[in-house]
Amino acid sequence: MARIVVTVMLKPEILDPQGTAVRGALTRLGLTGVADVRQGKRFVIDLEGSLDADREALLTKLAGELLANPVIEDYSLQVEA
Amino acid sequence: MSSTDNAAVTQRGVDTVERAAASPDVQQPWAELGLKADEYQRIRDILDRRPTSAELAMYSVMWSEHCSYKSSKVHLRQFGAKQPVTDALLVGIGENAGVVDIGDGWAVTFKVESHNHPSFIEPYQGAATGVGGIVRDILAMGARPLAVMDSLRFGAPEHPDTSRIVGGVVAGVGGYGNCLGLPNIGGEAVFDSCYQGNPLVNALCVGAMRHEDIHLAKASGVGNLVVLYGARTGGDGIGGVSVLASETFDATGPAKRPAVQVGDPFMEKLLIECTLQMFKEHLVEGIQDLGGAGLSCATSELASNGDGGMRVHLEKVPLRDATLSPEEIIMSESQERMMAVVHPDNIDRVMQICAHWDVTATVVGEVTDGSNLQVFWHDELIVDVPPRTVAHDGPVYERPYHRPAWLDARQADEPTAQRCPRPTSAAEFSEHILRLMSSANLCDREWLTSQYDRYVLGNTVAAMPHDSGVVRIDEASGRGIAVSLDCNGRFGALDPYAGAQLALSEAYRNVAVSGATPLAVTDCLNFGSPEDPEVMWQFAEAVRGLADACLTLGTPVTGGNVSLYNQTAQTAIHPTPVVGVLGVIDDVRSRITMHGARYGDSILLIGRTREEFAGGEWAHVLHGHLGGTAPVVDLAAEMALAKVVREHSPLITSAHDLSDGGLAVALAELVLRNDYGVSVSLSDTEADGFTMLFSESVARAVVTVAAQDVDAVRAACELAGLPSALLGVVSEERSLVIDTDAGRIAISREELAAGWSSALPAIMA
């Protein structure tokens, strides 16, 4: 069993209206000093068997094609046990 | 948060006017910014020194084709020179959008603009920000935005990349407009392989105001304050200018890439309400939206349209990304920003209103008694230019153009019966009709239009699938407008002069068959590279055609947009002059729809049918053929048709214009969109069955009238010089029945609907 976590975030230079809205709400609800909020997506993928190089390469490729929009988003893969 | 962070940037050193004057030999990346050698030299001549990097950024973007219209300007002048005399035009070309008088003290402003290239790179955001941009143009005239429309062109339906672009663009148009709370009342979606690598996204917005509320983009009155309000400025759309950042500074900042503009419709909604409240309280002397070229454009246009100079303190601009260089700030195309010129007495109230709407507002400068636009970065002068040289006196090119040699061969390749075999039996006719109705360009648009809110705000009287969008402006009197947006690029490919006129002709007709009086025109001229003399000829011909036709129809061009370089490698798109026509209806309750017919009503065809198949849907769908002579342009007949329909609107129970696919498609649509059938005979018409059904001759409409009114309407047609034919009746049996010289065509509604409603979902599957 292998678990891969893919994190997708808007690139830093891209406007994040949802993050901005959350920042406004946090401040309104009393949290002081909120400098910035960025909102993203997290995919948890459980694979049967172990993660070999081929599957990892394919998953990395698919992360950029399916899970993230590389024009406006960055993504990273993290393999967990 | 910005001031301290900005200080760090300052320490890296900026290119000041003083430094530029002292270092004339510094190499500057003008070529990378898209300037030509002679243009760069001209900037040096204007300033009598080398430009600073910030000035270079401003000139390069403002002198780009997109902002300066340098290739198209010499041709566009015809829209002014040939402008018809009309009392309806309150504000003409040159402002953010034209303004038209619709009576009772109401003024309407409308404009169509392209967002083609961004929509190919990032379809959702490209299309969304296209809508946002045109809405701000309308707002900047002082009007409340009321509705949007979109004219979309995509690649071949079977191409694997098409669904990505269609899905993204449609979701983007819908997402932005829906969140903003503006109804989408119409438009078009066309598939053709020539748009494969270069889709077209043209967005139109229409807004209304009282005459006295018209606002213009000018900065007047020494001491008046320049207020930037709306979203914070980030690195959106700064693409090319990154060159400057890396030239000027050490590479200590984050990697700069051409950043996609991302829209925030909720911010735009706040911007609309906030701006309208400022107008209502008469707090604004001049106003400009920030779109392409951002602050470069807004400051130079406001300053050059005013009577003095302007001083801007760039470090005061609120930033989203504190690492932006001054060159990037001045170029940024961050969305949802506006710039207002405000008298000092009113500034407190303006800031109060912005605070109320939770909109960030900052005084970034003031109007001066000088003649120059001066931009400071902290205490250093980084821009000192005559604003007109940036905004209006850019380069103007008389680009060479000539008629393409291949055009003769294309025009000679008529879709004759030998070249394109025609149906000969009733069974073949049925098959051709079914294939047309299930083709990508004629099938049901429901998949697409159902993603748009068509009725929000509650004043939409007619939206898709009607021939034009109709909106109520005055809830008491029922005064309203009708708008249609049309083009057939294949006609443009056959003959750009006629193609542009045919686009106008169709939009004019669509507005007229809704019972409205056409008043004014906006256009979005989408063409290939102006550096190709054959494309330039197409452009010149299209402009000449449109200007001539507008003069004849008495409908002035009030504004619009030119989009060039729409091509993939060496292949240009078809000339695609998208034309929007706006008409007025005194009372929207008297409009004509496609739905009003009753069982037993008579079906009349009004207008002359010629043997015209070139560029039409039948030749395209059945034979993949593009050649021959475009349909005859008959503007006199178009005006006569409009007059007959308008003057007899109480008698006409429903009307539908004939355009793509001709009579066959119009009749099939009546069956598909209503709970009745049609039963007609072509035996008493002027041409053979094939010509009657598939010709795309202009100035024709199918109307239904009660049996006792047939003679009155036909007499009116005769008086107007229009042929008319009594085709048949509206029947209770829901099928399409046509008696032709080849026998009886009978297609049930179910058969028609099967391919028609499944075609678009199949493309998107």
Side-chain angles (χ1 to χ4, degrees):
Chain A
M1 200 72 170
R3 168 166 289 187
I4 301 97
V5 177
V6 181
T7 307
V8 178
M9 296 293 295
L10 282 171
K11 290 181 177 179
E13 67 269 26
I14 298 286
L15 175 70
D16 177 7
Q18 293 184 77
T20 310
V22 172
R23 182 179 72 171
L26 288 174
T27 305
R28 201 164 55 244
L29 295 169
L31 185 65
T32 53
V34 185
D36 197 17
V37 176
R38 303 287 290 180
Q39 178 171 313
K41 285 183 286 194
R42 181 167 182 263
F43 298 86
V44 179
I45 300 162
D46 289 331
L47 293 177
E48 288 171 359
S50 63
L51 182 67
D52 55 44
D54 282 354
R55 287 212 289 180
E56 186 170 356
L58 181 59
L59 185 57
T60 307
K61 176 172 170 288
L62 293 180
E65 290 173 4
L66 177 70
L67 305 182
N69 173 359
V71 178
I72 57 172
E73 291 168 333
D74 289 329
Y75 59 97
S76 61
L77 276 73
Q78 196 179 351
V79 182
E80 294 181 0
Chain B
M1 71 178 215
S2 55
S3 62
T4 49
D5 295 334
N6 286 354
V9 178
T10 320
Q11 285 160 15
R12 283 188 251 151
V14 291
D15 192 19
T16 61
V17 169
E18 192 182 356
R19 191 182 292 185
S23 58
D25 300 326
V26 167
Q27 286 296 313
Q28 293 191 284
W30 48 267
E32 288 88 331
L33 291 169
L35 287 166
K36 301 278 189 279
D38 56 331
E39 292 172 350
Y40 177 64
Q41 186 54 48
R42 194 164 147 209
I43 297 169
R44 296 190 66 126
D45 293 344
I46 289 170
L47 300 176
D48 201 21
R49 57 175 164 79
R50 76 162 173 88
T52 65
S53 57
E55 288 167 342
L56 186 62
M58 286 181 82
Y59 278 107
S60 72
V61 68
M62 289 300 291
W63 285 12
S64 70
E65 188 65 57
H66 178 68
C67 293
S68 75
Y69 293 75
K70 58 189 170 190
S71 302
S72 53
K73 218 176 211 169
V74 293
H75 300 285
L76 298 177
R77 286 180 185 137
Q78 292 175 66
F79 291 141
K82 295 179 188 171
Q83 184 173 298
V85 178
T86 166
D87 296 334
L89 192 63
L90 298 175
V91 176
I93 295 178
E95 281 291 335
N96 283 311
V99 182
V100 181
D101 178 14
I102 63 159
D104 289 351
W106 285 103
V108 166
T109 179
F110 76 129
K111 187 181 176 186
V112 58
E113 211 167 64
S114 66
H115 226 216
N116 303 339
H117 300 118
S119 300
F120 177 65
I121 296 167
E122 168 40 46
Y124 184 97
Q125 295 297 345
T129 52
V131 174
I134 192 65
V135 167
R136 284 193 300 282
D137 269 342
I138 296 309
L139 177 64
M141 294 308 297
R144 173 175 283 281
L146 292 178
V148 295
M149 282 181 131
D150 57 317
S151 167
L152 310 175
R153 280 181 172 64
F154 306 111
E158 61 278 5
H159 192 284
D161 193 41
T162 299
S163 67
R164 169 186 78 95
I165 301 203
V166 176
V169 165
V170 172
V173 170
Y176 202 96
N178 295 351
C179 290
L180 195 50
L182 286 180
N184 187 314
I185 57 167
E188 42 170 14
V190 176
F191 295 82
D192 191 302
S193 55
C194 75
Y195 306 107
Q196 197 66 57
N198 201 122
L200 304 185
V201 175
N202 295 179
L204 178 147
C205 182
V206 55
M209 68 199 120
R210 305 297 298 171
H211 282 190
E212 60 271 21
D213 291 335
I214 297 173
H215 279 73
L216 302 177
K218 62 182 170 74
S220 305
V222 175
N224 282 346
L225 301 172
V226 178
V227 181
L228 177 67
Y229 64 105
R232 289 170 176 269
T233 299
D236 306 60
I238 52 173
V241 202
S242 317
V243 178
L244 284 172
S246 56
E247 284 283 321
T248 316
F249 307 131
D250 307 329
T252 48
K256 293 277 166 38
R257 280 161 299 212
V260 173
Q261 308 151 22
V262 173
D264 179 356
F266 300 107
M267 172 57 82
E268 181 111 329
K269 175 64 177 170
L270 297 177
L271 211 52
I272 292 174
E273 299 306 330
C274 173
T275 304
L276 289 175
Q277 193 170 345
M278 289 184 207
F279 289 155
K280 196 175 161 197
E281 298 183 22
H282 307 289
L283 303 174
V284 173
E285 311 296 321
I287 191 156
Q288 172 81 38
D289 64 301
L290 274 72
L295 283 166
S296 300
C297 180
T299 54
S300 62
E301 291 209 341
L302 280 170
S304 58
N305 297 344
D307 48 17
M310 186 189 284
R311 190 182 300 128
V312 175
H313 303 277
L314 208 57
E315 77 279 0
K316 292 186 179 168
V317 172
L319 299 181
R320 206 170 74 224
D321 173 358
T323 66
L324 290 181
S325 69
E327 293 86 351
E328 290 171 323
I329 296 169
I330 211 166
M331 300 277 301
S332 163
E333 299 192 346
S334 286
Q335 301 290 300
E336 290 93 24
R337 297 180 298 162
M338 303 281 285
M339 182 168 272
V341 177
V342 177
H343 191 276
D345 289 349
N346 295 326
I347 191 67
D348 289 346
R349 181 60 190 146
V350 164
M351 299 310 260
Q352 220 173 21
I353 291 172
C354 287
H356 172 80
W357 291 102
D358 205 9
V359 168
T360 306
T362 315
V363 174
V364 296
E366 60 274 325
V367 176
T368 65
D369 57 3
S371 58
N372 274 14
L373 168 64
Q374 296 184 313
V375 178
F376 290 84
W377 179 248
H378 298 281
D379 292 326
E380 299 186 287
L381 181 64
I382 60 168
V383 170
D384 189 7
V385 297
R388 274 201 71 82
T389 65
V390 179
H392 297 299
D393 299 337
V396 175
Y397 290 148
E398 301 256 5
R399 292 202 187 269
Y401 58 89
H402 63 76
R403 189 173 188 276
W406 46 260
L407 195 57
D408 285 337
R410 180 180 276 180
Q411 289 181 344
D413 181 22
E414 291 283 354
T416 57
Q418 290 74 34
R419 182 80 172 77
C420 298
R422 297 173 180 179
T424 51
S425 66
E428 282 179 11
F429 270 102
S430 294
E431 190 212 326
H432 284 209
I433 291 172
L434 288 170
R435 282 183 60 187
L436 278 174
M437 295 314 291
S438 59
S439 69
N441 292 337
L442 296 173
C443 68
D444 190 6
R445 263 67 191 125
E446 181 69 16
W447 177 89
L448 195 154
T449 57
S450 64
Q451 298 187 45
Y452 303 154
D453 190 333
R454 286 167 263 180
Y455 302 104
V456 63
L457 295 179
N459 280 319
T460 303
V461 179
M464 294 80 73
H466 287 280
D467 290 329
S468 62
V470 179
V471 176
R472 186 191 301 112
I473 302 283
D474 189 317
E475 292 178 23
S477 70
R479 181 169 294 273
I481 51 164
V483 192
S484 185
L485 200 53
D486 293 288
C487 183
N488 178 344
R490 290 192 308 271
F491 291 154
L494 297 178
D495 180 347
Y497 180 86
Q501 298 193 330
L502 290 165
L504 172 63
S505 207
E506 185 184 346
Y508 184 95
R509 181 162 66 248
N510 276 323
V511 166
V513 297
S514 304
T517 307
L519 282 184
V521 168
T522 180
D523 59 352
C524 193
L525 305 171
N526 306 276
F527 288 77
S529 166
E531 294 165 39
D532 178 341
E534 296 181 348
V535 171
M536 203 57 220
W537 178 83
Q538 292 176 324
F539 179 79
E541 283 295 285
V543 172
R544 190 170 69 86
L546 190 56
D548 287 349
C550 283
L551 183 57
T552 306
L553 292 177
T555 50
V557 174
T558 61
N561 166 243
V562 175
S563 174
L564 300 175
Y565 297 99
N566 291 293
Q567 56 182 64
T568 313
Q570 293 307 305
T571 313
I573 61 164
H574 290 330
T576 313
V578 173
V579 177
V581 169
L582 177 126
V584 61
I585 313 183
D586 292 341
D587 185 345
V588 292
R589 283 165 289 197
S590 66
R591 77 197 180 279
I592 305 169
T593 72
M594 206 193 297
H595 296 316
R598 290 160 298 216
Y599 299 138
D601 276 2
S602 299
I603 301 174
L604 293 178
L605 170 65
I606 304 178
R608 171 159 292 118
T609 305
R610 305 174 177 90
E611 282 193 56
E612 294 176 317
F613 312 105
E617 287 296 336
W618 177 82
H620 177 67
V621 172
L622 272 300
H623 298 287
H625 179 269
L626 176 59
T629 320
V632 171
V633 177
D634 192 345
L635 300 174
E638 210 67 82
M639 292 168 82
L641 174 68
K643 188 160 179 281
V644 166
V645 171
R646 186 169 63 244
E647 289 177 356
H648 293 80
S649 61
L651 302 185
I652 293 171
T653 55
S654 79
H656 187 23
D657 87 304
L658 265 58
S659 53
D660 302 337
L663 179 64
V665 169
L667 292 175
E669 284 176 345
L670 287 183
V671 174
L672 285 162
R673 300 201 187 281
N674 291 293
D675 54 0
Y676 57 69
V678 303
S679 178
V680 299
S681 165
L682 303 178
S683 58
D684 197 23
T685 52
E686 56 191 332
D688 60 283
F690 172 74
T691 302
M692 290 310 298
L693 285 176
F694 298 114
S695 164
E696 296 195 9
S697 295
V698 299
R700 295 182 304 156
V702 178
V703 304
T704 58
V705 297
Q708 71 270 17
D709 296 325
V710 169
D711 290 344
V713 173
R714 292 194 68 184
C717 291
E718 195 178 341
L719 201 63
L722 291 170
S724 66
L726 178 57
L727 295 183
V729 292
V730 172
S731 63
E732 284 187 52
E733 192 198 340
R734 298 181 70 183
S735 58
L736 175 65
V737 178
I738 309 171
D739 282 319
T740 71
D741 41 11
R744 169 169 286 201
I745 304 166
I747 311 174
S748 72
R749 186 183 184 282
E750 287 68 34
E751 264 182 287
L752 276 175
W756 179 72
S757 44
S758 63
L760 202 47
I763 292 168
M764 296 309 299

PDB file of all heavy atoms in Angstrom, chain B residues 434 671-672 733-737 745-754:
ATOM      1  N   LEU B 434     -31.792  16.568 -41.957  1.00  0.00           N
ATOM      2  CA  LEU B 434     -31.400  15.981 -40.671  1.00  0.00           C
ATOM      3  C   LEU B 434     -29.905  16.161 -40.414  1.00  0.00           C
ATOM      4  O   LEU B 434     -29.483  16.425 -39.281  1.00  0.00           O
ATOM      5  CB  LEU B 434     -31.774  14.494 -40.620  1.00  0.00           C
ATOM      6  CG  LEU B 434     -33.278  14.237 -40.484  1.00  0.00           C
ATOM      7  CD1 LEU B 434     -33.596  12.755 -40.690  1.00  0.00           C
ATOM      8  CD2 LEU B 434     -33.786  14.697 -39.112  1.00  0.00           C
ATOM      9  N   VAL B 671     -40.464  24.056 -35.717  1.00  0.00           N
ATOM     10  CA  VAL B 671     -41.041  22.811 -35.209  1.00  0.00           C
ATOM     11  C   VAL B 671     -40.372  22.416 -33.894  1.00  0.00           C
ATOM     12  O   VAL B 671     -41.034  22.026 -32.930  1.00  0.00           O
ATOM     13  CB  VAL B 671     -40.881  21.678 -36.251  1.00  0.00           C
ATOM     14  CG1 VAL B 671     -41.347  20.349 -35.680  1.00  0.00           C
ATOM     15  CG2 VAL B 671     -41.643  22.026 -37.520  1.00  0.00           C
ATOM     16  N   LEU B 672     -39.033  22.549 -33.849  1.00  0.00           N
ATOM     17  CA  LEU B 672     -38.294  22.117 -32.669  1.00  0.00           C
ATOM     18  C   LEU B 672     -38.551  22.991 -31.453  1.00  0.00           C
ATOM     19  O   LEU B 672     -38.482  22.529 -30.318  1.00  0.00           O
ATOM     20  CB  LEU B 672     -36.795  22.113 -32.982  1.00  0.00           C
ATOM     21  CG  LEU B 672     -36.326  20.952 -33.854  1.00  0.00           C
ATOM     22  CD1 LEU B 672     -34.967  21.246 -34.475  1.00  0.00           C
ATOM     23  CD2 LEU B 672     -36.266  19.665 -33.025  1.00  0.00           C
ATOM     24  N   GLU B 733     -50.204  18.722 -35.791  1.00  0.00           N
ATOM     25  CA  GLU B 733     -49.301  17.569 -35.802  1.00  0.00           C
ATOM     26  C   GLU B 733     -47.862  18.065 -35.753  1.00  0.00           C
ATOM     27  O   GLU B 733     -47.420  18.832 -36.611  1.00  0.00           O
ATOM     28  CB  GLU B 733     -49.516  16.744 -37.076  1.00  0.00           C
ATOM     29  CG  GLU B 733     -48.840  15.400 -37.003  1.00  0.00           C
ATOM     30  CD  GLU B 733     -48.681  14.779 -38.390  1.00  0.00           C
ATOM     31  OE1 GLU B 733     -49.405  15.178 -39.315  1.00  0.00           O
ATOM     32  OE2 GLU B 733     -47.805  13.913 -38.523  1.00  0.00           O
ATOM     33  N   ARG B 734     -47.116  17.622 -34.753  1.00  0.00           N
ATOM     34  CA  ARG B 734     -45.793  18.201 -34.527  1.00  0.00           C
ATOM     35  C   ARG B 734     -44.758  17.569 -35.453  1.00  0.00           C
ATOM     36  O   ARG B 734     -43.932  16.773 -35.030  1.00  0.00           O
ATOM     37  CB  ARG B 734     -45.401  18.031 -33.068  1.00  0.00           C
ATOM     38  CG  ARG B 734     -46.344  18.759 -32.139  1.00  0.00           C
ATOM     39  CD  ARG B 734     -45.921  18.601 -30.710  1.00  0.00           C
ATOM     40  NE  ARG B 734     -44.691  19.344 -30.423  1.00  0.00           N
ATOM     41  CZ  ARG B 734     -44.081  19.320 -29.246  1.00  0.00           C
ATOM     42  NH1 ARG B 734     -44.543  18.567 -28.264  1.00  0.00           N
ATOM     43  NH2 ARG B 734     -42.989  20.011 -29.056  1.00  0.00           N
ATOM     44  N   SER B 735     -44.825  17.958 -36.702  1.00  0.00           N
ATOM     45  CA  SER B 735     -43.821  17.453 -37.636  1.00  0.00           C
ATOM     46  C   SER B 735     -43.570  18.508 -38.705  1.00  0.00           C
ATOM     47  O   SER B 735     -44.306  19.483 -38.840  1.00  0.00           O
ATOM     48  CB  SER B 735     -44.280  16.143 -38.271  1.00  0.00           C
ATOM     49  OG  SER B 735     -45.509  16.352 -38.919  1.00  0.00           O
ATOM     50  N   LEU B 736     -42.490  18.285 -39.449  1.00  0.00           N
ATOM     51  CA  LEU B 736     -42.115  19.184 -40.535  1.00  0.00           C
ATOM     52  C   LEU B 736     -42.529  18.529 -41.839  1.00  0.00           C
ATOM     53  O   LEU B 736     -42.012  17.475 -42.209  1.00  0.00           O
ATOM     54  CB  LEU B 736     -40.592  19.404 -40.499  1.00  0.00           C
ATOM     55  CG  LEU B 736     -39.966  20.220 -41.630  1.00  0.00           C
ATOM     56  CD1 LEU B 736     -40.453  21.665 -41.586  1.00  0.00           C
ATOM     57  CD2 LEU B 736     -38.448  20.170 -41.536  1.00  0.00           C
ATOM     58  N   VAL B 737     -43.501  19.145 -42.516  1.00  0.00           N
ATOM     59  CA  VAL B 737     -43.982  18.579 -43.783  1.00  0.00           C
ATOM     60  C   VAL B 737     -43.792  19.622 -44.882  1.00  0.00           C
ATOM     61  O   VAL B 737     -44.280  20.752 -44.766  1.00  0.00           O
ATOM     62  CB  VAL B 737     -45.468  18.179 -43.675  1.00  0.00           C
ATOM     63  CG1 VAL B 737     -45.965  17.639 -45.013  1.00  0.00           C
ATOM     64  CG2 VAL B 737     -45.671  17.156 -42.570  1.00  0.00           C
ATOM     65  N   ILE B 745     -41.599  15.843 -48.235  1.00  0.00           N
ATOM     66  CA  ILE B 745     -40.655  15.608 -47.136  1.00  0.00           C
ATOM     67  C   ILE B 745     -41.483  15.617 -45.865  1.00  0.00           C
ATOM     68  O   ILE B 745     -42.231  16.569 -45.617  1.00  0.00           O
ATOM     69  CB  ILE B 745     -39.622  16.755 -47.048  1.00  0.00           C
ATOM     70  CG1 ILE B 745     -38.890  16.940 -48.376  1.00  0.00           C
ATOM     71  CG2 ILE B 745     -38.658  16.523 -45.906  1.00  0.00           C
ATOM     72  CD1 ILE B 745     -38.120  18.255 -48.474  1.00  0.00           C
ATOM     73  N   ALA B 746     -41.390  14.560 -45.067  1.00  0.00           N
ATOM     74  CA  ALA B 746     -42.118  14.535 -43.797  1.00  0.00           C
ATOM     75  C   ALA B 746     -41.180  14.006 -42.720  1.00  0.00           C
ATOM     76  O   ALA B 746     -40.717  12.872 -42.793  1.00  0.00           O
ATOM     77  CB  ALA B 746     -43.358  13.663 -43.906  1.00  0.00           C
ATOM     78  N   ILE B 747     -40.877  14.861 -41.765  1.00  0.00           N
ATOM     79  CA  ILE B 747     -39.974  14.469 -40.683  1.00  0.00           C
ATOM     80  C   ILE B 747     -40.670  14.764 -39.360  1.00  0.00           C
ATOM     81  O   ILE B 747     -41.127  15.888 -39.138  1.00  0.00           O
ATOM     82  CB  ILE B 747     -38.639  15.249 -40.730  1.00  0.00           C
ATOM     83  CG1 ILE B 747     -38.045  15.223 -42.150  1.00  0.00           C
ATOM     84  CG2 ILE B 747     -37.641  14.696 -39.729  1.00  0.00           C
ATOM     85  CD1 ILE B 747     -36.803  16.087 -42.316  1.00  0.00           C
ATOM     86  N   SER B 748     -40.740  13.777 -38.488  1.00  0.00           N
ATOM     87  CA  SER B 748     -41.396  14.005 -37.206  1.00  0.00           C
ATOM     88  C   SER B 748     -40.487  14.824 -36.299  1.00  0.00           C
ATOM     89  O   SER B 748     -39.269  14.880 -36.501  1.00  0.00           O
ATOM     90  CB  SER B 748     -41.694  12.667 -36.525  1.00  0.00           C
ATOM     91  OG  SER B 748     -40.492  12.096 -36.060  1.00  0.00           O
ATOM     92  N   ARG B 749     -41.108  15.448 -35.312  1.00  0.00           N
ATOM     93  CA  ARG B 749     -40.328  16.271 -34.384  1.00  0.00           C
ATOM     94  C   ARG B 749     -39.284  15.408 -33.674  1.00  0.00           C
ATOM     95  O   ARG B 749     -38.159  15.852 -33.439  1.00  0.00           O
ATOM     96  CB  ARG B 749     -41.264  16.913 -33.361  1.00  0.00           C
ATOM     97  CG  ARG B 749     -40.537  17.888 -32.471  1.00  0.00           C
ATOM     98  CD  ARG B 749     -41.410  18.498 -31.405  1.00  0.00           C
ATOM     99  NE  ARG B 749     -40.649  19.489 -30.649  1.00  0.00           N
ATOM    100  CZ  ARG B 749     -39.775  19.184 -29.720  1.00  0.00           C
ATOM    101  NH1 ARG B 749     -39.560  17.922 -29.404  1.00  0.00           N
ATOM    102  NH2 ARG B 749     -39.099  20.130 -29.079  1.00  0.00           N
ATOM    103  N   GLU B 750     -39.656  14.167 -33.330  1.00  0.00           N
ATOM    104  CA  GLU B 750     -38.721  13.285 -32.622  1.00  0.00           C
ATOM    105  C   GLU B 750     -37.469  13.032 -33.465  1.00  0.00           C
ATOM    106  O   GLU B 750     -36.353  13.045 -32.970  1.00  0.00           O
ATOM    107  CB  GLU B 750     -39.391  11.949 -32.273  1.00  0.00           C
ATOM    108  CG  GLU B 750     -40.408  12.030 -31.152  1.00  0.00           C
ATOM    109  CD  GLU B 750     -41.652  12.827 -31.536  1.00  0.00           C
ATOM    110  OE1 GLU B 750     -42.065  12.764 -32.733  1.00  0.00           O
ATOM    111  OE2 GLU B 750     -42.188  13.550 -30.678  1.00  0.00           O
ATOM    112  N   GLU B 751     -37.701  12.780 -34.768  1.00  0.00           N
ATOM    113  CA  GLU B 751     -36.558  12.544 -35.654  1.00  0.00           C
ATOM    114  C   GLU B 751     -35.649  13.769 -35.723  1.00  0.00           C
ATOM    115  O   GLU B 751     -34.422  13.660 -35.695  1.00  0.00           O
ATOM    116  CB  GLU B 751     -37.071  12.264 -37.076  1.00  0.00           C
ATOM    117  CG  GLU B 751     -37.210  10.814 -37.446  1.00  0.00           C
ATOM    118  CD  GLU B 751     -37.679  10.710 -38.887  1.00  0.00           C
ATOM    119  OE1 GLU B 751     -38.874  11.005 -39.152  1.00  0.00           O
ATOM    120  OE2 GLU B 751     -36.855  10.368 -39.740  1.00  0.00           O
ATOM    121  N   LEU B 752     -36.273  14.944 -35.853  1.00  0.00           N
ATOM    122  CA  LEU B 752     -35.496  16.179 -35.923  1.00  0.00           C
ATOM    123  C   LEU B 752     -34.701  16.392 -34.639  1.00  0.00           C
ATOM    124  O   LEU B 752     -33.522  16.753 -34.665  1.00  0.00           O
ATOM    125  CB  LEU B 752     -36.430  17.384 -36.108  1.00  0.00           C
ATOM    126  CG  LEU B 752     -36.897  17.744 -37.505  1.00  0.00           C
ATOM    127  CD1 LEU B 752     -37.910  18.888 -37.407  1.00  0.00           C
ATOM    128  CD2 LEU B 752     -35.735  18.158 -38.399  1.00  0.00           C
ATOM    129  N   ALA B 753     -35.387  16.142 -33.529  1.00  0.00           N
ATOM    130  CA  ALA B 753     -34.788  16.475 -32.234  1.00  0.00           C
ATOM    131  C   ALA B 753     -33.645  15.544 -31.873  1.00  0.00           C
ATOM    132  O   ALA B 753     -32.701  15.956 -31.188  1.00  0.00           O
ATOM    133  CB  ALA B 753     -35.859  16.448 -31.136  1.00  0.00           C
ATOM    134  N   ALA B 754     -33.702  14.299 -32.336  1.00  0.00           N
ATOM    135  CA  ALA B 754     -32.717  13.309 -31.894  1.00  0.00           C
ATOM    136  C   ALA B 754     -31.290  13.798 -32.154  1.00  0.00           C
ATOM    137  O   ALA B 754     -30.478  13.916 -31.223  1.00  0.00           O
ATOM    138  CB  ALA B 754     -32.972  11.987 -32.596  1.00  0.00           C
TER     139      ALA B 754
END
